[in-house]
Amino acid sequence: TTIKLVEMETVTENYSTNNNLDSLTVDGYELDKEFNANDTEYTVNVPSDIEKVIIKASASDSKATISGTGEVDVHEGSNTFEIKVTAESGAVKTYKLIVNVEEKDPINVSVNKEDLTVIRKSEELTDYLKDYYKEITVKIGEEEVLAYRIEAIDITLVALKNNSGKINFYIYDDGNYTLYQEINGGGVTVHLIDDKTKIPDNYKAYKETINDTTYQVYKLNKDSTYYLMYGENVETGEKSLYLYDSSDNTLQKYYEEEIDTLKEELKLNSYIIIGLISLIIILLIIFLIALHTKKKNNKSNKKEIKKRLKQDKEEFYN
């Protein structure tokens, strides 16, 4: 085996970093939008009787390599594929292709005037399921369909997808659907509840995107990196205010009493700082006055000395 070793400086200076695709197609079908090398996610819809599709792609740079293309198996529902482009330098760029195979007899529901399809097969949800989701079934219309139960917070979820293939979980309650949102950080996972009555008056509502999901959060000002949210712990069921630190993606309970104590401490510290600054200014003024007085006295002394020297000189000559 021969191994060629190349210094990183050589790679950086002389090797191509172009890892863009020049084209991406699925034989016989159209993508949901025109291909653009900078857009890395595409969707294609195929009929219900299709079991295989052929993915084709070409790289912008002939020195780049592509993986994830060719003939692939698909099943009813959403199928996600990754096409990876590796530049000569080793830099990798990943394009995502979602192939939606239409269901033969889909169950369609309307949520907030949006037409959605109920997902009935767990294969579509492999990347979405959590350890605390207990698989069950619920009856929608005349059919028993796949659902999930979170025991600690006593809710039932069903998975729905839109026309573009995007999947979200919804809380199902006797024919009613409410978008389910959860957030985690620092080992804590919370189901978010939008209850404005739980939010302190000095916080304002904002929309923030965390890990490609948009949330309703509350902040002291628009530039703050701390997001206040109300929700329930999915493991304990405890409801509380939570503070999310977007700078390091951590989540912790918000204790208003501790925050108030911290504010009082900060206020006290600010008073101490202001007092010290005032003392320093006063001492500086006293110093300047003393320095000015000393200079004035020195000037007077010099005049007196000159006067005496002149008198002594006159007496000497006399």
Side-chain angles (χ1 to χ4, degrees):
T1 301
T2 301
I3 300 175
K4 181 181 179 181
L5 302 180
V6 182
E7 292 183 351
M8 182 56 68
E9 291 77 6
T10 303
V11 173
T12 304
E13 292 176 4
N14 303 313
Y15 283 52
S16 172
T17 59
N18 187 342
N19 54 10
N20 289 323
L21 280 181
D22 185 57
S23 67
L24 175 64
T25 59
V26 177
D27 260 11
Y29 305 99
E30 290 187 4
L31 301 180
D32 62 325
K33 53 193 170 186
E34 185 178 351
F35 178 77
N36 184 310
N38 296 319
D39 194 340
T40 58
E41 187 169 330
Y42 298 88
T43 300
V44 63
N45 297 317
V46 302
S48 59
D49 58 345
I50 297 299
E51 296 180 352
K52 296 178 183 292
V53 296
I54 298 174
I55 301 173
K56 293 182 178 180
S58 62
S60 296
D61 189 338
S62 61
K63 296 178 181 178
T65 58
I66 301 174
S67 64
T69 57
E71 187 176 73
V72 294
D73 295 326
V74 293
H75 55 72
E76 190 177 82
S78 180
N79 303 260
T80 302
F81 301 96
E82 289 187 346
I83 296 89
K84 295 187 177 182
V85 187
T86 304
E88 184 186 22
S89 65
V92 178
K93 187 173 186 177
T94 301
Y95 291 81
K96 187 197 302 189
L97 175 65
I98 300 172
V99 179
N100 286 321
V101 180
E102 296 176 357
E103 296 186 43
K104 294 179 181 178
D105 298 302
I107 299 176
N108 297 316
V109 298
S110 179
V111 181
N112 297 327
K113 299 181 179 180
E114 182 180 14
D115 292 327
L116 303 173
T117 303
V118 178
I119 295 178
R120 293 180 286 188
K121 294 186 177 181
S122 59
E123 291 89 343
E124 289 192 66
L125 302 174
T126 303
D127 297 331
Y128 298 86
L129 300 180
K130 309 293 176 61
D131 293 338
Y132 44 89
Y133 290 9
K134 180 182 178 182
E135 186 174 316
I136 61 170
T137 60
V138 295
K139 195 170 185 178
I140 299 179
E142 298 299 320
E143 185 176 344
E144 292 286 337
V145 300
L146 180 68
Y148 295 92
R149 184 86 179 148
I150 303 180
E151 298 289 353
I153 56 178
D154 191 28
I155 62 172
T156 298
L157 304 177
V158 294
L160 307 178
K161 65 179 177 182
N162 62 16
N163 294 330
S164 299
K166 183 178 180 181
I167 296 173
N168 282 309
F169 281 104
Y170 287 78
I171 300 171
Y172 180 76
D173 184 13
D174 194 24
N176 296 311
Y177 301 87
T178 305
L179 181 64
Y180 172 79
Q181 285 193 312
E182 67 177 30
I183 188 169
N184 61 73
V188 178
T189 302
V190 175
H191 161 230
L192 298 183
I193 303 171
D194 190 16
D195 187 349
K196 297 179 177 62
T197 63
K198 303 294 184 181
I199 307 298
D201 293 337
N202 53 334
Y203 281 80
K204 296 180 180 179
Y206 294 90
K207 295 287 186 181
E208 292 291 346
T209 301
I210 304 171
N211 298 328
D212 299 325
T213 301
T214 301
Y215 296 92
Q216 172 76 69
V217 303
Y218 297 87
K219 302 192 296 182
L220 289 172
N221 57 68
K222 66 176 183 178
D223 297 321
S224 176
T225 58
Y226 294 96
Y227 308 159
L228 191 64
M229 308 171 181
Y230 180 73
E232 51 191 348
N233 189 302
V234 298
E235 294 181 352
T236 65
E238 182 184 4
K239 294 182 179 180
S240 177
L241 283 169
Y242 288 86
L243 195 64
Y244 180 81
D245 185 349
S246 62
S247 61
D248 58 9
N249 300 319
T250 56
L251 185 69
Q252 60 183 352
K253 287 184 70 173
Y254 172 88
Y255 296 98
E256 193 168 2
E257 295 82 3
E258 291 185 6
I259 298 297
D260 290 340
T261 301
L262 180 60
K263 287 180 179 178
E264 290 299 323
E265 290 178 357
L266 291 173
K267 186 184 291 186
L268 178 61
N269 290 337
S270 65
Y271 288 151
I272 293 173
I273 293 171
I274 292 172
L276 288 173
I277 293 174
S278 300
L279 179 61
I280 291 171
I281 292 173
I282 292 172
L283 292 174
L284 181 61
I285 292 172
I286 294 173
F287 173 76
L288 291 174
I289 292 173
L291 184 63
H292 178 72
T293 303
K294 184 177 180 181
K295 286 183 177 180
K296 188 175 181 181
N297 290 337
N298 287 341
K299 191 174 181 180
S300 299
N301 290 337
K302 285 180 180 179
K303 286 182 178 180
E304 184 65 28
I305 290 171
K306 285 183 178 180
K307 183 178 180 182
R308 289 184 180 179
L309 286 173
K310 186 177 180 181
Q311 290 175 351
D312 292 342
K313 187 176 180 182
E314 289 176 353
E315 289 179 358
F316 176 80
Y317 284 108
N318 290 333

